Amino acid sequence: MCLSWHLLAANHSDILVNFYSKTCNGLLIMFFIVKEIRTALTSAECGVNADVEKHLELGKKLLAAGQLADALSQFHAAVDGDPDNYVAYYRRATAFLAMGKSKAALPDLTKVIELKMDFTAARLQRGHLLLKQGKLDEAEDDFKKVLKSNPSENEEKEAQSQLIKSDEMQRLRSQALDAFENSDYIAAITSLDKILEVCVWDADLRELRAECFIKEGEPRKAISDLKAASKLKNDNTEAFYKISTLYYQLGDHELSLSEVRECLKLDQDHKRCFAHYKQVKKLNKLIESAEELIRDGRYTDATSKYESVMKTEPSVSEYTIRSKERICHCFSKDEKPVEAIRVCSEVLQMEPDNVNALKDRAEAYLIEEMYDEAIQDYETAQEHNENDQQIREGLEKAQRLLKQSQKRDYYKILGVKRNAKKQEIIKAYRKLAMQWHPDNFQNEEEKKKAEKKFIDIAAAKEVLSDPEMRKKFDDGEDPLDAESQQGGGGNPFHRSWNSWQGFNPFSSGGPFRFKFHFN
């Protein structure tokens, strides 16, 4: 009751004085009570105004010093202290704009105009923001009202300039919409490019241009516009869905998964997003598992996983190409050159410039001793990636091996593959040593031929059964070649038959023993 009376007194003191004077003779004391209330309220109001002015002044200084967050706090306090102070709203809008928060500034500018209709600076600023948002009719209305409100010379020039620009945007938008309706997407994009230089915050126009880019087969440009639209428009699930599907079509399953999750954050019951999410998540899990197997060197299992990827998503060619590219890599690393060459060649038929497939096929060619083909693949890969050290080293190795193969090839001597295990090398050596041992031949000419053959076989065994020597040979350097080792001339297989006399070709554990008999 007491509070109600005080509020009544504060707002209607004159009425109260008259009322009590007429009805309560002798109660003049009421006059003095009301007067005291008036004085108290006036003092309180002055105190509030003083605080507001203090906040505004401090905020202004902080804003000038570039301390935007602190300035904004002061302007918040000023608005709270006096909700009808148009200067407080304008200063806060200025701070928002300085911080790049145009959406927050717009309501404050509108409030300024409501409180002070002739504040041309605020109306001009609001017109600018509306123009950027693509709200052309509203922007034009603000610019026209500026011209009618006795503006300064600069304000008048600015308003006229913006009106001309707004009219031009209206014309371009009509052209863009007509072109889109007529499926002339190039023309639509041309008009939209010009509009969006001015109407940079128009989400609808960005989505329209994204559609044009999709129609023209430029998904990455479409993604750029849709990402902007997702930020400009609240709860834009459609934009996130489209971005996710575009990334999916491009073969970027990780980004596709990330974007579809953003859609579900906004609407967990979104049917298309949820269905797409399940598909992408399944595919993503398969690919991650396959890559982990590759890192562990389990190439056969990884190949199986990538075959599952192709079955899971047969309609998007990008996943077929990428899966075959990785299967090609697995075969190459697993030293299955025939399979590697076949699958890599399938990839290169679809993507002739695929550097990864070129490198992996080149490695497979090296295992198959197809040096000319390996060199060609490395050279093609190098044309597309000059700075790849792996390509450069592979090319140099292939060239060395080609040169080496034109002299003496220990693998060919023993008749084994370049990826043969040590046991295979020893086995091949034993067989050939037994076959070509000079004691097996009586004819002098045949014996000399066998001696030479036997020396080569023994040299091949010596090099290929020693890990360090074999590595040198695999890198294109013959460890038994005096020219290769010292840079000089001489017979690359300089050991004579006599140097092998007494040598037991089966000393590595075989059950056989040979006795040498020479005249």
Side-chain angles (χ1 to χ4, degrees), residues 248-251 310 313-324 350-351:
Y248 187 77
Q249 295 295 323
L250 289 168
M310 290 189 285
E313 185 46 89
S315 59
V316 180
S317 62
E318 191 66 26
Y319 293 103
T320 300
I321 296 172
R322 296 287 79 80
S323 295
K324 287 190 174 185
M350 296 180 280
E351 290 184 349

PDB file of all heavy atoms in Angstrom, residues 248-251 310 313-324 350-351:
ATOM      1  N   TYR A 248      30.671 -34.716 -50.139  1.00  0.00           N
ATOM      2  CA  TYR A 248      30.555 -36.163 -50.341  1.00  0.00           C
ATOM      3  C   TYR A 248      30.800 -36.518 -51.803  1.00  0.00           C
ATOM      4  O   TYR A 248      31.538 -37.461 -52.115  1.00  0.00           O
ATOM      5  CB  TYR A 248      29.168 -36.620 -49.907  1.00  0.00           C
ATOM      6  CG  TYR A 248      28.977 -38.123 -49.899  1.00  0.00           C
ATOM      7  CD1 TYR A 248      29.488 -38.897 -48.875  1.00  0.00           C
ATOM      8  CD2 TYR A 248      28.273 -38.755 -50.915  1.00  0.00           C
ATOM      9  CE1 TYR A 248      29.307 -40.275 -48.864  1.00  0.00           C
ATOM     10  CE2 TYR A 248      28.082 -40.121 -50.914  1.00  0.00           C
ATOM     11  CZ  TYR A 248      28.603 -40.878 -49.881  1.00  0.00           C
ATOM     12  OH  TYR A 248      28.424 -42.241 -49.876  1.00  0.00           O
ATOM     13  N   GLN A 249      30.193 -35.750 -52.709  1.00  0.00           N
ATOM     14  CA  GLN A 249      30.373 -35.985 -54.141  1.00  0.00           C
ATOM     15  C   GLN A 249      31.831 -35.764 -54.565  1.00  0.00           C
ATOM     16  O   GLN A 249      32.316 -36.395 -55.500  1.00  0.00           O
ATOM     17  CB  GLN A 249      29.461 -35.056 -54.954  1.00  0.00           C
ATOM     18  CG  GLN A 249      27.971 -35.304 -54.777  1.00  0.00           C
ATOM     19  CD  GLN A 249      27.524 -36.660 -55.295  1.00  0.00           C
ATOM     20  OE1 GLN A 249      28.017 -37.131 -56.308  1.00  0.00           O
ATOM     21  NE2 GLN A 249      26.593 -37.283 -54.595  1.00  0.00           N
ATOM     22  N   LEU A 250      32.509 -34.877 -53.866  1.00  0.00           N
ATOM     23  CA  LEU A 250      33.917 -34.602 -54.170  1.00  0.00           C
ATOM     24  C   LEU A 250      34.855 -35.646 -53.580  1.00  0.00           C
ATOM     25  O   LEU A 250      36.058 -35.618 -53.814  1.00  0.00           O
ATOM     26  CB  LEU A 250      34.304 -33.213 -53.641  1.00  0.00           C
ATOM     27  CG  LEU A 250      33.704 -32.018 -54.388  1.00  0.00           C
ATOM     28  CD1 LEU A 250      33.926 -30.736 -53.594  1.00  0.00           C
ATOM     29  CD2 LEU A 250      34.317 -31.889 -55.781  1.00  0.00           C
ATOM     30  N   GLY A 251      34.302 -36.547 -52.772  1.00  0.00           N
ATOM     31  CA  GLY A 251      35.126 -37.589 -52.167  1.00  0.00           C
ATOM     32  C   GLY A 251      35.726 -37.190 -50.837  1.00  0.00           C
ATOM     33  O   GLY A 251      36.534 -37.933 -50.276  1.00  0.00           O
ATOM     34  N   MET A 310      34.094 -49.476 -52.099  1.00  0.00           N
ATOM     35  CA  MET A 310      33.510 -49.376 -53.439  1.00  0.00           C
ATOM     36  C   MET A 310      32.110 -49.991 -53.492  1.00  0.00           C
ATOM     37  O   MET A 310      31.231 -49.508 -54.219  1.00  0.00           O
ATOM     38  CB  MET A 310      34.421 -50.051 -54.460  1.00  0.00           C
ATOM     39  CG  MET A 310      35.719 -49.291 -54.697  1.00  0.00           C
ATOM     40  SD  MET A 310      36.696 -49.937 -56.081  1.00  0.00           S
ATOM     41  CE  MET A 310      37.382 -51.417 -55.358  1.00  0.00           C
ATOM     42  N   GLU A 313      29.601 -47.483 -51.642  1.00  0.00           N
ATOM     43  CA  GLU A 313      29.224 -46.300 -52.425  1.00  0.00           C
ATOM     44  C   GLU A 313      29.614 -46.501 -53.892  1.00  0.00           C
ATOM     45  O   GLU A 313      30.624 -45.984 -54.352  1.00  0.00           O
ATOM     46  CB  GLU A 313      29.876 -45.042 -51.846  1.00  0.00           C
ATOM     47  CG  GLU A 313      29.453 -43.745 -52.516  1.00  0.00           C
ATOM     48  CD  GLU A 313      27.952 -43.663 -52.719  1.00  0.00           C
ATOM     49  OE1 GLU A 313      27.271 -43.176 -51.811  1.00  0.00           O
ATOM     50  OE2 GLU A 313      27.459 -44.101 -53.781  1.00  0.00           O
ATOM     51  N   PRO A 314      28.800 -47.275 -54.623  1.00  0.00           N
ATOM     52  CA  PRO A 314      29.134 -47.531 -56.028  1.00  0.00           C
ATOM     53  C   PRO A 314      28.745 -46.403 -56.981  1.00  0.00           C
ATOM     54  O   PRO A 314      29.218 -46.359 -58.113  1.00  0.00           O
ATOM     55  CB  PRO A 314      28.320 -48.798 -56.342  1.00  0.00           C
ATOM     56  CG  PRO A 314      27.142 -48.709 -55.422  1.00  0.00           C
ATOM     57  CD  PRO A 314      27.620 -48.031 -54.185  1.00  0.00           C
ATOM     58  N   SER A 315      27.876 -45.484 -56.513  1.00  0.00           N
ATOM     59  CA  SER A 315      27.334 -44.468 -57.432  1.00  0.00           C
ATOM     60  C   SER A 315      28.193 -43.211 -57.530  1.00  0.00           C
ATOM     61  O   SER A 315      28.008 -42.411 -58.441  1.00  0.00           O
ATOM     62  CB  SER A 315      25.919 -44.073 -56.998  1.00  0.00           C
ATOM     63  OG  SER A 315      25.929 -43.552 -55.687  1.00  0.00           O
ATOM     64  N   VAL A 316      29.113 -43.013 -56.591  1.00  0.00           N
ATOM     65  CA  VAL A 316      29.990 -41.837 -56.632  1.00  0.00           C
ATOM     66  C   VAL A 316      31.364 -42.282 -57.121  1.00  0.00           C
ATOM     67  O   VAL A 316      32.100 -42.977 -56.403  1.00  0.00           O
ATOM     68  CB  VAL A 316      30.096 -41.160 -55.244  1.00  0.00           C
ATOM     69  CG1 VAL A 316      31.016 -39.946 -55.314  1.00  0.00           C
ATOM     70  CG2 VAL A 316      28.720 -40.742 -54.741  1.00  0.00           C
ATOM     71  N   SER A 317      31.699 -41.896 -58.338  1.00  0.00           N
ATOM     72  CA  SER A 317      32.932 -42.382 -58.971  1.00  0.00           C
ATOM     73  C   SER A 317      34.186 -42.011 -58.194  1.00  0.00           C
ATOM     74  O   SER A 317      35.192 -42.718 -58.251  1.00  0.00           O
ATOM     75  CB  SER A 317      33.032 -41.839 -60.394  1.00  0.00           C
ATOM     76  OG  SER A 317      33.092 -40.420 -60.386  1.00  0.00           O
ATOM     77  N   GLU A 318      34.128 -40.906 -57.475  1.00  0.00           N
ATOM     78  CA  GLU A 318      35.306 -40.444 -56.732  1.00  0.00           C
ATOM     79  C   GLU A 318      35.782 -41.496 -55.736  1.00  0.00           C
ATOM     80  O   GLU A 318      36.988 -41.697 -55.550  1.00  0.00           O
ATOM     81  CB  GLU A 318      34.976 -39.141 -55.998  1.00  0.00           C
ATOM     82  CG  GLU A 318      36.171 -38.422 -55.415  1.00  0.00           C
ATOM     83  CD  GLU A 318      37.134 -37.906 -56.470  1.00  0.00           C
ATOM     84  OE1 GLU A 318      36.705 -37.641 -57.608  1.00  0.00           O
ATOM     85  OE2 GLU A 318      38.334 -37.780 -56.154  1.00  0.00           O
ATOM     86  N   TYR A 319      34.842 -42.202 -55.093  1.00  0.00           N
ATOM     87  CA  TYR A 319      35.231 -43.218 -54.112  1.00  0.00           C
ATOM     88  C   TYR A 319      35.795 -44.461 -54.789  1.00  0.00           C
ATOM     89  O   TYR A 319      36.681 -45.125 -54.236  1.00  0.00           O
ATOM     90  CB  TYR A 319      34.048 -43.567 -53.203  1.00  0.00           C
ATOM     91  CG  TYR A 319      33.676 -42.403 -52.320  1.00  0.00           C
ATOM     92  CD1 TYR A 319      32.566 -41.621 -52.598  1.00  0.00           C
ATOM     93  CD2 TYR A 319      34.484 -42.044 -51.248  1.00  0.00           C
ATOM     94  CE1 TYR A 319      32.248 -40.525 -51.822  1.00  0.00           C
ATOM     95  CE2 TYR A 319      34.180 -40.945 -50.459  1.00  0.00           C
ATOM     96  CZ  TYR A 319      33.059 -40.188 -50.754  1.00  0.00           C
ATOM     97  OH  TYR A 319      32.766 -39.092 -49.982  1.00  0.00           O
ATOM     98  N   THR A 320      35.324 -44.767 -55.985  1.00  0.00           N
ATOM     99  CA  THR A 320      35.891 -45.882 -56.745  1.00  0.00           C
ATOM    100  C   THR A 320      37.329 -45.568 -57.137  1.00  0.00           C
ATOM    101  O   THR A 320      38.238 -46.398 -56.971  1.00  0.00           O
ATOM    102  CB  THR A 320      35.049 -46.149 -58.013  1.00  0.00           C
ATOM    103  OG1 THR A 320      33.713 -46.483 -57.622  1.00  0.00           O
ATOM    104  CG2 THR A 320      35.637 -47.292 -58.826  1.00  0.00           C
ATOM    105  N   ILE A 321      37.554 -44.350 -57.637  1.00  0.00           N
ATOM    106  CA  ILE A 321      38.913 -43.951 -58.051  1.00  0.00           C
ATOM    107  C   ILE A 321      39.862 -43.946 -56.859  1.00  0.00           C
ATOM    108  O   ILE A 321      40.964 -44.491 -56.912  1.00  0.00           O
ATOM    109  CB  ILE A 321      38.888 -42.565 -58.719  1.00  0.00           C
ATOM    110  CG1 ILE A 321      38.075 -42.609 -60.015  1.00  0.00           C
ATOM    111  CG2 ILE A 321      40.305 -42.074 -59.015  1.00  0.00           C
ATOM    112  CD1 ILE A 321      37.829 -41.249 -60.638  1.00  0.00           C
ATOM    113  N   ARG A 322      39.420 -43.307 -55.744  1.00  0.00           N
ATOM    114  CA  ARG A 322      40.300 -43.218 -54.578  1.00  0.00           C
ATOM    115  C   ARG A 322      40.584 -44.596 -53.976  1.00  0.00           C
ATOM    116  O   ARG A 322      41.695 -44.873 -53.522  1.00  0.00           O
ATOM    117  CB  ARG A 322      39.655 -42.324 -53.507  1.00  0.00           C
ATOM    118  CG  ARG A 322      39.461 -40.879 -53.875  1.00  0.00           C
ATOM    119  CD  ARG A 322      40.752 -40.069 -53.913  1.00  0.00           C
ATOM    120  NE  ARG A 322      41.508 -40.278 -55.126  1.00  0.00           N
ATOM    121  CZ  ARG A 322      41.243 -39.689 -56.295  1.00  0.00           C
ATOM    122  NH1 ARG A 322      40.239 -38.856 -56.418  1.00  0.00           N
ATOM    123  NH2 ARG A 322      41.997 -39.926 -57.342  1.00  0.00           N
ATOM    124  N   SER A 323      39.571 -45.472 -53.988  1.00  0.00           N
ATOM    125  CA  SER A 323      39.772 -46.820 -53.444  1.00  0.00           C
ATOM    126  C   SER A 323      40.763 -47.597 -54.295  1.00  0.00           C
ATOM    127  O   SER A 323      41.666 -48.263 -53.771  1.00  0.00           O
ATOM    128  CB  SER A 323      38.429 -47.564 -53.386  1.00  0.00           C
ATOM    129  OG  SER A 323      37.543 -46.940 -52.470  1.00  0.00           O
ATOM    130  N   LYS A 324      40.614 -47.520 -55.628  1.00  0.00           N
ATOM    131  CA  LYS A 324      41.549 -48.220 -56.511  1.00  0.00           C
ATOM    132  C   LYS A 324      42.958 -47.649 -56.392  1.00  0.00           C
ATOM    133  O   LYS A 324      43.963 -48.384 -56.480  1.00  0.00           O
ATOM    134  CB  LYS A 324      41.053 -48.145 -57.960  1.00  0.00           C
ATOM    135  CG  LYS A 324      39.846 -49.041 -58.221  1.00  0.00           C
ATOM    136  CD  LYS A 324      39.536 -49.137 -59.695  1.00  0.00           C
ATOM    137  CE  LYS A 324      38.433 -50.159 -59.936  1.00  0.00           C
ATOM    138  NZ  LYS A 324      38.159 -50.380 -61.369  1.00  0.00           N
ATOM    139  N   MET A 350      41.440 -43.424 -65.817  1.00  0.00           N
ATOM    140  CA  MET A 350      40.442 -42.439 -65.377  1.00  0.00           C
ATOM    141  C   MET A 350      41.082 -41.092 -65.053  1.00  0.00           C
ATOM    142  O   MET A 350      40.490 -40.045 -65.286  1.00  0.00           O
ATOM    143  CB  MET A 350      39.688 -42.979 -64.152  1.00  0.00           C
ATOM    144  CG  MET A 350      38.863 -44.226 -64.440  1.00  0.00           C
ATOM    145  SD  MET A 350      37.982 -44.865 -62.985  1.00  0.00           S
ATOM    146  CE  MET A 350      39.308 -45.749 -62.137  1.00  0.00           C
ATOM    147  N   GLU A 351      42.282 -41.134 -64.500  1.00  0.00           N
ATOM    148  CA  GLU A 351      43.013 -39.919 -64.129  1.00  0.00           C
ATOM    149  C   GLU A 351      44.466 -40.040 -64.593  1.00  0.00           C
ATOM    150  O   GLU A 351      45.333 -40.477 -63.828  1.00  0.00           O
ATOM    151  CB  GLU A 351      42.975 -39.705 -62.610  1.00  0.00           C
ATOM    152  CG  GLU A 351      41.622 -39.322 -62.060  1.00  0.00           C
ATOM    153  CD  GLU A 351      41.659 -39.018 -60.561  1.00  0.00           C
ATOM    154  OE1 GLU A 351      42.688 -39.315 -59.912  1.00  0.00           O
ATOM    155  OE2 GLU A 351      40.658 -38.493 -60.058  1.00  0.00           O
TER     156      GLU A 351
END
